[in-house]
Structures are given as C-alpha cells and as structure tokens.
C-alpha cells in the first residue's frame, strides 16, 4: 500500500454552534484519486476548505505530506500551500484578468521562468482543458463550465503534488465531462498527481475513483469508505445503496 | 558552449554543438522543471537561434525528470523550429517522458496580435464626443422613464415597494443626520468667521448674519447636503444595483416580468428626493447656530443676531432652498441608479459604476445650481 499523503484525524468542524462533521478520520494515499461523496449540503465543501487550510477545525488534525496544516504558520504554511492546487466550486477566477492571465498568475509569482515561457505554458494548460481560442476572454465572458475548466488549468499550473477539485464536472456537457475525466486519469497516471475530488457524477466516480468516502448529513460523518464499485454492490447500508443506485429515500423526499 | 544555471545537482544544463554547419545538436541534462528552468530557458532558446540550425537534434538522454515546465520547454523548442520550417527531433527521451510530451505537449495557441494602434487625435475626439452625447441621451431617457413609471405607480400606490422605501430612506436620511449637521455647523462657522474679518473694517460685522443666512438657506445648505447625499447614498445605490447586475439579478427580475425601474429605482429615487430637503433643513439650522456662535464671540447678543436673520430671510428664500434640495436629491438618486444599471461585466465594473455615479452627480449638481442662479435672477425671486 502506498504511503498516505493526507492524514485526517478526528476532525470536528462546524459554523458557530452548528456542527457539520464530527470526529472524521481518513487517509488519502499518494497517487490515488480520492473522491468525497455525499448529498447536497452535507459538508463536502466544508471538509475541503479545512483540508486546504482555509478554515480551522474545532478539534482534530489534518496532515498534508506529514505536516499539520492547522498549526503551520509563515514559511511552513507556504511550503504546504505550494504542494497543492485548488479549483473552487464557483471557479474563483479573478474577474479583472483574462483566462490566460489567471493561469499565468501562479507561474509568474512562483517561478523564475521568462515571460515567453509563462505565456506558452499557460496557453498549453488551457489547451489541455479544451479552452484553446478562449485564452483572452474575461471570466464573465465564459460559460460556467468554461470558468471551471479555467480554474482547473490555474490549479494545475505548477503541477502540484495534490489537486483539490470541488465539483469539477458539474455543469459540463457529457462529452466535455468525459474528456475532463480522461485528463484527470492521465495526470494521475503519468504525472503521479494525487487528486481529491468532490463530485456527484456517478459515471465520473466509477471511471475515476480509486477510493471514495460517502458523507451523510445526519450522521455528521463518513457512512461508507472504499472502492465505489464495491460500495455500489454493498446492500448492507440502505443509505449507501440509495446513493449509488439513484434511489430516492423511501419515506422522505 | 556549455552552460548550467549553477553547480547544484538539481540544475538544468544545456550544450549546443554544430556539425558541418547544417546540423545542430542540443544536449540537455538534469531535471527540466519549474524550479530549474527559470535561469536556462531564454539562454538555451537564444543559443539555438544563434546556431541557426537546418536540422535540430535534441539529445535528452541525460534528462532526469520533466514536469509541466519541461514539457512546455520541449514543445516550445519544437514549435519554434517548425515555424522556421526546419526539422527537429528529440532523441533519448525516456519513454514515460516521451508519452507525457505527446499527451501534454501540444503546441499552445499563438498569442494574439497586438491590438491596433490607438485612434488618431481627431477620431478620438469624435469618439469621445459621440460617447458624451450618448451618455447625455441615456440620462435624459432614464429620467423620462422614471417619470413615466412614477406616474403609472401613482395610479396604483399599493404596488409601490413601501417597505424597501422606508429602509432606504432610513439609511439615506436618518443615518446621515450627524454628518450633515456637522458639516452645516462647520460651514456656518467658517463663512461667518471669514466674512466677519473684512466686514469688520467697515464696522458692519453684524451683517454677517444677513450674509450667512441668505447664502446658507438659498445656496450652500442644499448644495452641501446634496454632495453628501451623492457621496453616501448615490454611490451606495450604484454599488448595490451594480452588484445585482453582475450577478444577473436584474436579468432575473426582467424575466419574472418585474420592471427594475419600478422595483429598484423608484423607491431609491423617491427616498433620495424626500430626505435631501429634510437633511437640508438640518444643515441650515446647524449652519445658523455656527454663525451665531461667531457673532456672539464678536460681542453681539444673540437677540440681535436672530432679529437680523429673521428680517432678511423670507419664506421665499426657504422655499427656493427646499425646492432645489428636492431636485438635487432626485438627480443624485437617479444618477446613482442609472450608473448601477449601466454596470459592465466583472467585479471591477462595480467600482467604476460607483465612481461614475458620484462624479456625474456632482457635475449635474453644479450645472443645476448654475441654471437656478440665472433663472432666479431673471425671475427676481
Ligand atoms: N459560511 C457558512 N456559515 C454557516 N453555515 C454554512 C456556511 N457554509 C456552509 N454552511 C452550512 O454547512 C453545511 C454544509 O455546507 P457545504 O459544505 O457547502 O455543503 P456541500 O456538501 O453541498 O458542499 C450546510 O448546511 C450549509 O448551510
Ligand atoms: Mg459544495
């Protein structure tokens, strides 16, 4: 078994007095595609924001590459941050810059590459996500799915070891979504990038995931963990069965 | 020629050799990564260009690792050579790196040509004046639209958004009392003091009371108040409506068959229009108190000051000031809403809309004040 790259230990988090997740523990291993599943509003984005250090947990620790991101400060925090890229649910592109300028931003800030090189690499990344021809559009002139792909290109601009993607294929047509899945697989296999992905697309999950955790709102935690193909056939837990087989809950809506 | 960025084992290195003048061999060594390529990228491209290859052989046997930057570098080299119609090949690249190059190394799109040079002076002047007149037209059209919508609303007053109106009026009016009072007081103080000095030479400094009363009530009170309303409230209107615009909220209202003018603009304009005269009264009162203090400190009893004020001010003066205030308030509210609705794309556009709201409002205030002065002079009011 490959060594863990992210270790979450007894994580409890919430907003104000409301607890969202309670005593959640799991590992993400080097090079795997790890998927976080769960119904809308169960705390997937919240969990992701904790993993990337934007929010501090109430209790528990999160270690990325062995270093505790909740306690890190200054240079140590910078080092941890440079080991991963994030594509946010809403894209979070800078609206005053064009798509290619958004991708160039981390390249300009964190490498000594000359301007030619930065422009070339940024355009290459946009081409990888299928956005050739839209390099010089402002985010507001792009569709939602295109904004997402630009955000993905920006997140992988520096080939980080870990990529966090919040619902990358939501709002994409099936063909583009499948191309994105293929890109993620290739990046994982050829470059060894570890992925942590929040998604609802069952097809993507089965195509991509090495391992998945399923969060549930009432349980405030993980109700299933494993390979999605195994989880799909697991009939012991009705909530898990319903999720993977698209069944509505029997009594409630 | 052999160059390396430095002597650590993590550095990338390259060497260019020419054999018989046509074939150029570029040897690359070390890791080709974001960290290592910075210092060598340009140097290597220049060295290859100086060698003027007919065919370029890139010898990558000693390349240890390669990430996105390395892929970018190799594809950049290949694309450059291809553009010159020379041939190039890479030899000795490890198979997994070769696969990465094939998958991730498609040439990236060319940079767009530089935008055409700016317009000539005359064309620029023409464009600017066309924009100016279009803007004036949009303001007049918007004004008319507000009047029409307002008239239609007056026939169905229960459809007016009273709740919004009261909230906005509180923010624009009640919350502005302090700043308006403070500025009115300071202006009264300052005008009285600076005009008392010259008048004192003629021994008529008590006429400061008349001067301040007239200046404040007819001109300065409404004007100062309107400028404050423009800065506080007009800008807030533009920012709020502008943010709604870039979030597609205005579009949502339109498709739900709700007119943004009656839904958003009317309550705001009406609020600005009603609170400005009230605030003006406040500014005038505090201005008179301020100038009274100055007169007092010059040794005159307050009774004399008050009798001067009372005899010089007529009801007409007060009314003129208040009518102006109503019109100023309406203008400021209208321009704030118009600039908000005109917001273009992106977060930066909200800032631009806000700035334009305040600037246009102040220009309109000055213009209107000028028109009023001339008009009142000829009508002898
Ligand atoms: N900033 C916030 N303040 C308070 N509650 C929040 C905030 N953000 C999210 N929540 C709540 O946390 C829960 C989980 O939200 P989120 O993590 O965004 O869900 P999802 O799984 O759909 O990504 C929801 O019930 C939501 O209302
Ligand atoms: Mg979410």
């Amino acid at each position: 078994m490959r060594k863990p790259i992210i270790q979450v230990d007894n994580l409890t988090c919430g907003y104000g007095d409301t607890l969202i997740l309670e005593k959640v523990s799991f590992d993400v291993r080097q090079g795997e595609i790890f998927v976080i599943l769960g119904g809308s509003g169960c705390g997937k984005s919240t969990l992701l924001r904790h993993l990337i250090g934007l929010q501090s947990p109430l209790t528990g620790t999160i270690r990325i590459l062995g270093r505790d991101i909740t306690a890190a400060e200054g240079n140590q925090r910078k080092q941890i941050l440079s080991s991963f890229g994030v594509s946010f649910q809403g894209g979070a592109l800078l609206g005053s810059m064009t798509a290619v300028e958004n991708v160039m931003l981390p390249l300009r800030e964190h490498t000594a590459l000359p301007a030619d090189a930065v422009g070339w690499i940024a355009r290459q990344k946009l081409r990888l996500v299928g956005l050739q021809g839209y390099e010089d559009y402002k985010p507001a002139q792009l569709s939602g799915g295109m904004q997402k792909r630009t955000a993905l290109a920006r997140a992988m601009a520096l080939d980080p070891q870990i990529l966090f993607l919040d619902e990358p294929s939501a709002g994409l047509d099936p063909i583009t979504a499948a191309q994105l899945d293929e890109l993620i697989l290739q990046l994982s296999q050829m470059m060894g990038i570890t992925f942590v992905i929040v998604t609802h697309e069952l097809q993507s999950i089965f195509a991509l995931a090495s391992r998945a955790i399923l969060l549930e709102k009432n349980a405030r935690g993980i109700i299933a963990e494993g390979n999605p193909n195994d989880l799909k056939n697991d009939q012991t837990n009705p909530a898990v069965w319903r999720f993977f087989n698209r069944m509505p809950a029997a009594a409630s809506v | 020629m052999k160059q390396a960025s430095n002597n650590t084992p993590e550095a990338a290195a390259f060497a260019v050799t020419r054999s018989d003048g046509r074939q150029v061999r570029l040897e690359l060594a070390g890791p080709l990564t974001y960290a290592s390529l910075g210092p060598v990228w340009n140097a290597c491209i220049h060295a290859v260009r100086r060698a003027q290859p007919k065919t370029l052989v890139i010898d990558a046997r000693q390349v240890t690792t390669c990430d996105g930057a390395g892929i970018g570098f190799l594809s950049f080299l290949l694309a450059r050579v291809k553009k010159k119609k020379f041939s190039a090949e890479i030899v000795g690249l490890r198979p997994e790196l070769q696969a990465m190059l094939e998958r991730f190394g498609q040439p990236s799109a060319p940079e767009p040509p530089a935008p055409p040079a700016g317009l000539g002076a005359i064309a620029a002047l023409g464009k600017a004046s066309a924009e100016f007149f279009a803007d004036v037209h949009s303001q007049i059209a918007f004004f008319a639209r507000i009047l029409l919508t307002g008239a239609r609303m007056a026939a169905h007053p229960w459809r007016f958004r009273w709740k919004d109106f009261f909230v906005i009026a509180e923010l624009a009016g009640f919350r502005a009392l302090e700043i308006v009072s403070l500025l009115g007081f300071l202006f009264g103080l300052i005008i009285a003091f600076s005009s008392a000095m010259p008048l004192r030479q003629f021994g008529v400094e008590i006429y400061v009371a008349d001067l301040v009363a007239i200046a404040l009530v007819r001109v300065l009170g409404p004007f100062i108040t309107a400028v404050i309303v423009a800065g506080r409230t007009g800008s807030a209107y533009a920012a709020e409506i502008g943010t709604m615009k870039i979030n597609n909220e205005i579009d949502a209202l339109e498709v739900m068959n709700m007119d943004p003018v009656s839904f958003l603009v009317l309550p705001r304009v009406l609020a600005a229009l009603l609170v400005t005269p009230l605030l003006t009264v406040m500014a005038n009162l505090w201005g008179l108190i301020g100038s009274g203090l100055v007169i007092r400190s010059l040794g005159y009893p307050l009774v004399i000051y008050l009798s001067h004020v009372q005899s010089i001010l007529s009801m007409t003066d007060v009314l003129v000031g208040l009518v102006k205030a109503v019109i100023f308030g309406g203008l400021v509210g209208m321009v704030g809403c118009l600039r908000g609705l005109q917001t273009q794309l992106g977060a930066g556009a909200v800032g631009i809309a806000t700035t334009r709201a305040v600037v246009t409002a102040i220009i309109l205030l000055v213009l209107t004040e000028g028109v009023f002065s001339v008009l009142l002079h000829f009508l002898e009011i």
Side-chain angles (χ1 to χ4, degrees), chain A residues 149-191:
Chain A
R149 284 183 280 156
T150 311
L152 176 62
R154 184 178 69 180
M156 62 186 210
L158 290 168
D159 290 341
Q161 297 184 54
I162 312 170
L163 272 175
F164 293 97
L165 314 179
D166 197 350
E167 309 210 10
S169 49
L172 298 187
D173 63 278
I175 297 175
T176 315
Q179 281 169 350
L180 196 64
D181 287 351
E182 195 183 88
L183 177 66
I184 291 173
L185 265 181
Q186 285 169 339
L187 286 170
S188 147
Q189 284 162 2
M190 299 169 93
M191 304 259 216

Side-chain angles (χ1 to χ4, degrees), chain A residues 107 111-114 116-117 119-121 123-125 127-128 132 135-136 140-141 156-159 183 186-187 190-191, chain B residues 34 37-39 41-42 67-69 71-72 75-76 79-80 99-100 103-112 345-346:
Chain A
L107 292 167
T111 70
L113 293 172
D116 268 0
W120 176 268
I121 295 174
R123 281 162 197 277
Q124 205 160 46
K125 301 282 179 193
R127 180 169 184 158
L128 270 183
Q132 61 271 34
E135 290 88 353
D136 300 295
Q141 298 164 313
M156 62 186 210
L158 290 168
D159 290 341
L183 177 66
Q186 285 169 339
L187 286 170
M190 299 169 93
M191 304 259 216
Chain B
Y34 286 101
L37 274 171
W41 183 297
N42 271 347
D67 64 8
I71 300 295
S75 61
F76 188 78
R80 284 228 137 190
M100 262 167 68
R103 174 62 184 95
F104 302 125
Q106 302 104 331
S108 72
E111 305 221 3
L345 297 172

Side-chain angles (χ1 to χ4, degrees), chain B residues 72-248:
Chain B
F73 180 64
L74 292 175
S75 61
F76 188 78
L77 265 176
L78 292 178
R80 284 228 137 190
V81 175
K82 252 188 216 130
K83 212 167 94 189
K84 296 250 161 74
K85 305 222 164 51
F86 304 142
S87 67
E89 58 169 337
I90 299 183
V91 297
L93 192 62
R94 293 213 312 274
E96 71 271 20
L97 298 183
Q98 183 70 41
M100 262 167 68
L101 180 61
E102 270 154 33
R103 174 62 184 95
F104 302 125
Q106 302 104 331
S108 72
E111 305 221 3
L119 299 169
I122 294 180
L125 186 69
K127 189 161 175 273
S129 39
E131 273 165 13
F132 173 75
F133 285 116
D135 188 34
V136 171
H137 175 258
S138 77
Q139 288 177 33
I140 295 173
F142 192 63
F143 179 63
R145 192 169 161 203
I146 292 177
L147 283 187
L148 272 180
T149 318
R152 227 175 290 140
M153 188 66 85
H156 313 274
W158 61 91
R159 293 196 10 210
F160 185 69
R161 304 199 40 98
W162 290 106
K163 219 171 130 196
D164 288 1
F165 166 76
F166 285 117
V167 173
I168 297 164
E170 188 197 328
L171 285 176
F174 186 69
R175 298 286 165 85
L177 277 180
E178 288 130 354
I179 178 83
V180 164
S181 308
L182 179 68
L183 252 81
F185 178 72
L186 291 177
F187 260 79
L189 215 65
I190 292 165
I191 305 168
F193 191 73
S194 47
S195 49
M197 291 302 114
L199 289 184
R200 195 169 202 179
Q201 294 176 359
F202 308 102
V204 290
E205 65 263 37
I206 184 59
Y207 285 97
V208 165
D210 308 57
L211 198 152
V212 171
I214 288 290
L216 210 59
V217 170
R218 283 180 70 110
V219 182
L220 282 175
F223 193 79
I224 302 166
T225 311
V227 170
I228 295 175
V229 173
R232 274 186 90 252
T233 306
S235 58
Y237 289 178
E240 190 180 356
I241 297 183
T243 309
M244 295 178 74
K245 175 88 185 280
I246 62 172
N247 285 339
N248 286 342

Side-chain angles (χ1 to χ4, degrees), chain A residues 44-46 89 166-167 198:
Chain A
K44 303 180 297 294
S45 297
T46 307
Q89 191 164 7
D166 197 350
E167 309 210 10
V198 171

Side-chain angles (χ1 to χ4, degrees), chain A residues 15 18 20 38-47 55 89 166-167 198 200 217:
Chain A
Y15 298 96
T18 355
I20 306 291
S40 178
C42 70
K44 303 180 297 294
S45 297
T46 307
L47 176 59
Q55 276 173 249
Q89 191 164 7
D166 197 350
E167 309 210 10
V198 171
H200 293 290
K217 199 177 174 73

